[in-house]
Amino acid sequence: MALHAPERVVVPPASESGLIAAVGRTYFPIALVARLPYAMMVVGTLTLVVAARDSVALGGLTSAMVGLGAASIGPFIGAAADRFGQRPVLLGTALASSTVMASLAAVAYSATPAVALLAVAFLVGAFAPQVAPMSRSRLVGAIAGRVAPERRSRTFNTTMAYESAADEMVFIVGPFLVGLLGAGLGSWVPAVAAAGLTLVFVSAFALHPSSRAVQGHRSAGTTPAPARELLAARLLVVVAGIFGVGLFFGTTLTSLTAFMAERGEADAAGLVYGVMGIGSAALALGVALFPAGFTLARRWVAFATLLLLSSAVLPLVGSVAAVAGVLLVVGLGIGPTMVTQYSLGAKRSPGGRSATVMTVLGSAVILGQSSAAALTGQVADRWGADVALFLPAAAAAVVLLAGVANAAISRREK
């Protein structure tokens, strides 16, 4: 498989080097922790506002503003990284993000009107450092320029599996950590912790030597593909699918929060939600071992079907233990689906637009998660958790429909 380099690799090629040799051994642990605050934003905001203002509806709306900020500004951050390089963009957003995240806790517990809280939440999303998409862009560039041609296809597949598993891990560990910190130390602690993690680890990711391996297009003297190529149906269907995954995250977590709140344990919702990550991360890492005949299009449809069927069981169970058991099965569907979607996004990225595409996909997850949180919060406030628990299956249906559309597009491209 031929991979285009999204950004020019300026270090001398080392045809025998593997990916770890290309980016350094410290790269992966730093990149993993650096993306954790992004996964804590929506959940931390929801937990904080529900505790501070005693309203699931306002918590969901505030979370939606986080997603709106990420979706509105995130793609421009990715485009700036494509043009000017990742280091200055990441350093700037790390400082801004840590500041507004810490401010959110103060505003939530103050007498400030709700509109001011919503404005700060928008800034939380707007300045969110796009670590995950920039990591993918950085690694794809390293594979194209530093890995021997005969090893690129397998390295690419393994890397996309790892990156999606890492995203899955942090999107599960993030809420788990929010629940742990919120239940043990107070609902304001997760927001402050996310601010500290951002300042330290996102800055470390920005300053990591691997950031010098890829330069912005201006310094490389290359021209990105026309922006209209970002609107191709083959790419938009991936955006729609991963938006559906975000919807699933938001509906599941918020309905689960309402379910736990009715039992007087709202702060522990993240702990139960974390069960979903067990099967998810394990199967996501195993995607690289799937046979070639099990194509990306087929994987998407197969695992989205599993996601739909398992999530449809959620409204039928009544105990915390039973919900946790269902979420364990749900995780088997969500992990491989995300791996597939990000792999398709990487393969279909227009030349020189890798960071932009990956940021759009990451922003779509957050927008879906936060908008679903707002809707599910309204449903839970009005009709209760039993009704809200039907919404994850509706979100899974969106993922499956996008997968079917992608399969049709993939058949036409053959």
Side-chain angles (χ1 to χ4, degrees), residues 360-383:
V360 167
L361 295 180
S363 297
V365 174
I366 290 294
L367 179 61
Q369 184 186 35
S370 55
S371 58
L375 173 62
T376 308
Q378 295 287 343
V379 171
D381 267 6
R382 181 168 297 186
W383 292 294

Side-chain angles (χ1 to χ4, degrees), residues 264-342:
E265 301 179 76
D267 285 339
L271 303 179
V272 179
Y273 183 75
V275 173
M276 190 167 66
I278 299 173
S280 177
L283 203 52
L285 285 171
V287 165
L289 302 177
F290 289 164
F294 193 17
T295 63
L296 292 174
R298 291 175 180 173
R299 294 175 196 175
W300 186 341
V301 173
F303 287 106
T305 300
L306 174 60
L307 183 64
L308 175 58
L309 294 177
S310 56
S311 59
V313 180
L314 279 173
L316 307 180
V317 297
S319 69
V320 174
V323 167
V326 173
L327 290 177
L328 186 64
V329 179
V330 166
L332 298 176
I334 197 71
T337 301
M338 285 191 73
V339 173
T340 299
Q341 291 167 337
Y342 274 115

